[in-house]
């Protein structure tokens, strides 16, 4: 909730809003996009959209993907949206379960306004056999001009591939690169047993690849934000765990106030400060009337905390766990 015009207190949006992406659109507002949910009152939303002038005070704008794609009408699986704006068009990259096949797909929809309505382009960008092909994030590399798409989960590696100029297909003859591999099962304390939720930024000559692991949801949720860095958008990436020699190293992990923080984005305020936006579970209200059991009945609300960069690595200014007390706010 908002305390004054210059402070905030987590959560900044106290409703289920998983896998947030926040952008600042050309109209000057911040727009947040979240995974499907069931709203209070029972309405099922495919794509959540909210708007804010300052990253703290949010207004819910309701449904951003009012029509399911023709190839995914039978199921209710619309996950992990990422939106970017280019030349007056907004591109939504998301994950969906197709009517045919057992896996999930990467998909693209477009709109002329940041709140939508987004319309699917008509066919999946990539069809998967399980849930490795989820959590897409588009990034334009300033150094090379390449349009890149990062994605991955399902105990597979995080991947990247170059997009075509149309941004709704992969560049012909481009190849998929594997960037980070999960540690696999064996040590339940490790968050990198599964990796997902890629997010890439370029700061101070470093490409930072944020990701999350290991289990986002449910009573046994064990989730945190991890980070790796490289001098190139296509890697190779060194993880914070490798750099420190600590396999349990994280950028952000749980405390007694907030459980299972993760699936972050990074957004910049008007003063040039970077903010980590992510979801977390409030242990005082961990469940809600979710769409189905697979969604874990985990009520994942929207939090933000400021980043700083020290010795070549990002860190959360509140000390590596989500803040719960009043904090200096973003500059709107």
């Amino acid at each position: 909730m908002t305390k004054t015009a210059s402070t905030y207190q987590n959560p900044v949006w106290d409703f289920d809003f998983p896998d947030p992406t926040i952008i600042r659109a050309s109209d000057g507002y911040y727009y947040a996009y979240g995974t499907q949910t069931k709203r209070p009152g029972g309405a099922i939303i495919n794509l959540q959209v909210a708007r804010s002038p300052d990253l703290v005070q949010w207004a819910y704008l309701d449904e951003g993907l009012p029509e399911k794609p023709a190839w995914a009408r039978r199921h209710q699986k619309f996950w992990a949206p990422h939106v970017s704006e280019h030349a007056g068009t907004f591109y939504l990259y998301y994950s969906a379960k197709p009517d045919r096949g057992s896996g999930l797909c990467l998909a693209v929809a477009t709109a002329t306004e940041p709140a939508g309505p987004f319309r699917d382009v008509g066919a999946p960008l990539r069809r998967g056999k399980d849930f490795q092909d989820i959590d897409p994030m588009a990034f334009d590399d300033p150094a090379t001009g390449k349009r890149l798409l990062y994605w991955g989960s399902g105990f597979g590696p995080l991947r990247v591939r170059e997009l075509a100029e149309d941004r709704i297909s992969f560049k012909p003859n481009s190849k998929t690169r594997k960037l980070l591999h999960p540690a696999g099962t064996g040590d339940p304390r490790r968050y990198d047993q599964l990796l997902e939720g890629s997010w890439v930024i370029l700061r101070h000559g470093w490409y930072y690849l944020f990701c999350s692991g290991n289990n986002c949801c449910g009573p046994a949720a064990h989730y945190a934000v991890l980070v790796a860095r490289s001098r190139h958008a296509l890697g190779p990436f060194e993880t914070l765990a490798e750099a420190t020699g600590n396999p349990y190293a994280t950028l952000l992990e749980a405390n007694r106030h907030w459980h299972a923080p993760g699936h972050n984005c990074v957004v910049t305020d008007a003063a040039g400060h970077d903010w980590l936006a992510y979801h977390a579970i409030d242990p005082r209200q961990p469940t809600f009337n979710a769409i189905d059991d697979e969604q874990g009945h985990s009520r994942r609300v929207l939090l933000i905390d400021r980043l700083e960069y020290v010795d070549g690595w990002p860190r959360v200014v509140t000390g590596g766990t989500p803040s719960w007390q009043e904090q200096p706010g973003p500059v709107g």
Side-chain angles (χ1 to χ4, degrees):
M1 68 183 192
T2 303
K3 292 294 187 183
T4 73
S6 60
T7 64
Y8 79 98
Q9 186 174 349
N10 279 322
V12 294
W13 186 250
D14 198 16
F15 294 94
D16 182 63
F17 203 91
D19 311 327
T21 280
I22 300 177
I23 66 168
R24 189 177 186 187
S26 54
D27 65 4
Y29 283 94
Y30 294 97
Y31 289 83
Y33 306 88
T35 281
Q36 66 175 27
T37 195
K38 183 187 288 187
R39 291 285 293 166
I44 292 177
I45 306 296
N46 300 324
L47 171 66
Q48 300 190 74
V49 186
R51 185 175 69 181
S52 172
D54 58 7
L55 295 173
V56 174
Q57 303 173 76
W58 291 94
Y60 192 64
L61 301 181
D62 207 55
E63 176 65 80
L65 185 69
E67 294 185 15
K68 293 181 179 181
W71 50 270
R73 294 194 184 279
R74 299 179 184 175
H75 302 286
Q76 188 60 53
K77 295 287 186 293
F78 299 99
W79 296 349
H82 177 261
V83 174
S84 57
E85 179 182 2
H86 302 280
T89 298
F90 294 84
Y91 296 84
L92 164 67
Y93 301 89
Y94 65 104
S95 312
K97 183 172 179 59
D99 292 338
R100 296 182 180 180
S102 58
L104 283 96
C105 299
L106 302 179
V108 191
T110 62
T112 57
E113 299 292 337
F118 288 88
R119 306 293 181 189
D120 186 80
V121 299
L125 177 63
R126 176 183 169 103
R127 290 185 177 270
K129 296 180 179 180
D130 47 31
F131 71 102
Q132 290 192 23
D133 294 296
I134 65 172
D135 296 358
M137 186 267 175
F139 174 76
D140 282 19
D141 182 9
T144 64
K146 292 181 178 180
R147 297 158 292 273
L148 303 173
L149 191 77
Y150 297 81
W151 76 93
S153 183
F155 300 100
L158 298 183
R159 299 176 168 93
V160 63
R161 185 175 173 184
E162 187 174 357
L163 290 167
E165 291 187 11
D166 64 9
R167 299 182 181 273
I168 64 172
S169 61
F170 287 118
K171 184 177 181 180
N173 301 317
S174 64
K175 295 183 178 180
T176 300
R177 294 182 180 228
K178 298 176 181 179
L179 297 177
L180 290 182
H181 292 265
T185 59
D187 184 348
R189 289 180 56 203
R190 294 185 65 153
Y191 292 104
D192 61 352
Q193 291 187 107
L194 176 146
L195 300 176
E196 61 187 17
S198 301
W199 190 275
V200 176
I201 61 172
L202 174 60
R203 297 290 186 272
H204 316 298
W206 289 104
Y207 292 85
Y208 294 107
L209 170 57
F210 301 82
C211 60
S212 297
N214 148 33
N215 173 25
C216 72
C217 304
H222 182 252
Y223 209 50
V225 178
L226 312 176
V227 67
R229 70 180 186 180
S230 174
R231 292 297 189 184
H232 305 281
L234 299 177
F237 282 89
E238 176 189 38
T239 67
L240 181 61
E242 292 168 338
T244 60
N246 175 12
Y248 309 109
T250 65
L251 176 70
L252 185 77
E253 63 180 339
N255 55 34
R256 65 187 180 90
H257 302 278
W258 295 107
H259 292 178
H263 203 118
N264 75 280
C265 68
V266 176
V267 60
T268 306
D269 70 13
H273 302 141
D274 281 343
W275 291 79
L276 194 79
Y278 56 97
H279 68 234
I281 298 171
D282 184 345
R284 298 168 301 177
Q285 190 179 353
T287 63
F288 75 117
N289 182 21
I291 290 174
D292 54 31
D293 289 344
E294 190 174 356
Q295 199 147 346
H297 294 277
S298 296
R299 183 176 174 271
R300 292 170 284 171
V301 298
L302 178 61
L303 284 69
I304 62 171
D305 280 301
R306 186 176 161 184
L307 289 175
E308 61 183 356
Y309 298 86
V310 179
D311 297 330
W313 290 95
R315 71 181 185 187
V316 178
V317 299
T318 52
T321 65
S323 68
W324 67 94
Q325 296 174 318
E326 188 175 353
Q327 301 290 323
V331 178

